[in-house]
């Protein structure tokens, strides 16, 4: 029951990076802000790799001590979460006094009562580029979830008794991913090359997983540390790219809705990939499970290459695009009389 409550809460957290970035930050910093927010999530994951083995050491001969240590870990988590809850209620504001960008100014002109979640979902599923991104994002992130979940099993299969180093490799994977997230966010703000960057990172993730797969059984842990770090750098660096690319091609739809669907896709693919890869790893070898993921990531590369790069939000912020504040599918024509010039909107 507690796990179910935490899972529901997670839904409201995972979609925040792109929403907060769009509402609070201008065009030259929005992608970096999104990347920093994703970094925060990954920092929590890194702490999750690091602290539990320290707080709850393996004491099979003293179950009462183990129960006591687990209690300390959970009570500590509850205290931190409660403190963050109160800080959020007291300190955080819904939005800044003045919109940070043209695109936000247009969206804030629309009365809240005119927003329809149902219609927003319909519009998103009519948006073919978004559907392609939805599937490709699910594949990449689901593969990352699967690798993270089964990493310990893969390491121990080839390096018996190295459970501690397996945790350290997982930590390396996440920390490298934090660096990748920031670099990708900075690069997007500097270049605005959303599709090109997303595609390149996708290809490099594919290459990284191939190298990780075929070097895992060489017998050198240092090689696994390096290849795991490279893999985490690109696979986690992809997360803010996916969020920001989705916001660009779905504007003026809510960032929370698009990122929520991306996260749902990632969870679905993550569950399927973890089950299948786990079965292949158990019945055959870690290499078989990783090759399965490589095949799917290759499919994701093809889907990403097919995405039409229609940077709606960027065009609005640049003042070169007329936009109907009512969302329309990507390929739908917009009649001149139904458009709203950015200049008049401001």
């Amino acid at each position: 029951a507690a796990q179910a409550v935490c899972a529901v809460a997670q839904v409201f957290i995972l979609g925040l990076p792109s929403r907060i970035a769009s509402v609070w930050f201008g065009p030259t910093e929005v992608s970096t802000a999104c990347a920093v927010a994703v970094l925060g999530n990954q920092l929590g994951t890194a702490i999750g790799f690091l602290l539990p083995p320290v707080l709850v050491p393996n004491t099979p001969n003293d179950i009462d001590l183990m129960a006591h240590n687990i209690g300390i870990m959970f009570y500590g988590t509850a205290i931190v979460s409660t403190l963050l809850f109160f800080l959020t209620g007291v300190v955080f504001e819904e939005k800044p006094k003045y919109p940070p960008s043209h695109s936000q100014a247009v969206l804030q002109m629309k009365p809240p009562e005119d927003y329809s979640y149902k219609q927003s979902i319909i519009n998103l599923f009519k948006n073919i580029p978004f559907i392609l991104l939805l599937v490709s994002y699910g594949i990449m992130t689901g593969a990352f979830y699967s690798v993270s979940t089964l990493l310990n099993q893969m390491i121990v299969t080839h390096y018996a008794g190295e459970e501690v180093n397996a945790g350290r490799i997982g930590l390396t994977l996440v920390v490298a991913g934090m660096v990748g997230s920031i670099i990708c966010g900075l690069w997007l703000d500097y270049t605005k090359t959303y599709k090109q960057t997303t595609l390149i990172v996708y290809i490099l993730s594919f290459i990284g997983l191939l190298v990780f797969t075929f070097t895992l059984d060489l017998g050198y842990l240092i090689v696994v540390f390096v290849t795991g770090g490279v893999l985490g750098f690109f696979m986690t660096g992809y997360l803010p790219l996916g969020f920001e690319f989705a916001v660009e091609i779905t504007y003026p739809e809510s960032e929370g809705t698009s990122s929520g669907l991306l996260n749902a896709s990632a969870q679905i693919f993550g569950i399927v990939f973890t089950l299948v890869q786990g079965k292949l790893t158990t019945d055959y070898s870690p290499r078989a499970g990783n090759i399965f993921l490589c095949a799917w990531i290759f499919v994701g590369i093809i889907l990403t290459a097919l995405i039409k790069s229609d940077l709606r939000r960027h065009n609005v912020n640049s003042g070169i695009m007329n936009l109907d504040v009512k969302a329309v599918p990507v390929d739908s024509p917009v009649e001149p009389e139904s458009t709203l010039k950015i200049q008049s909107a401001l």
Side-chain angles (χ1 to χ4, degrees), residues 34 45 64 68 86 89 92 112 141 150 158 164 171 206 218 291 294 297 300 308 343 345:
C34 180
T45 304
D64 291 336
H68 175 73
F86 283 113
F92 280 49
T141 311
L150 299 173
H158 295 296
V164 174
L171 180 64
F206 173 72
L218 292 181
I291 290 176
C294 288
I297 292 179
K308 179 183 177 182
Q343 290 83 356

Side-chain angles (χ1 to χ4, degrees), residues 205-271:
S205 297
F206 173 72
I207 296 173
L209 185 56
L210 278 177
V211 174
F212 176 81
T213 299
F214 289 99
T215 59
L216 183 60
D217 59 352
L218 292 181
Y220 300 100
L221 269 176
I222 186 63
V223 174
V224 183
F225 271 96
V226 173
T227 56
V230 172
L231 184 62
F233 180 90
F234 292 114
M235 293 188 82
T236 305
Y238 175 82
L239 299 180
L241 297 179
F243 280 145
E244 285 296 285
F245 197 14
V247 173
E248 289 290 337
I249 63 179
T250 62
Y251 180 86
E253 299 297 346
S254 170
E255 303 87 355
T257 306
S258 61
S259 61
L261 289 174
L262 291 180
N263 282 316
S265 176
Q267 299 294 336
I268 293 171
F269 277 99
I271 292 171

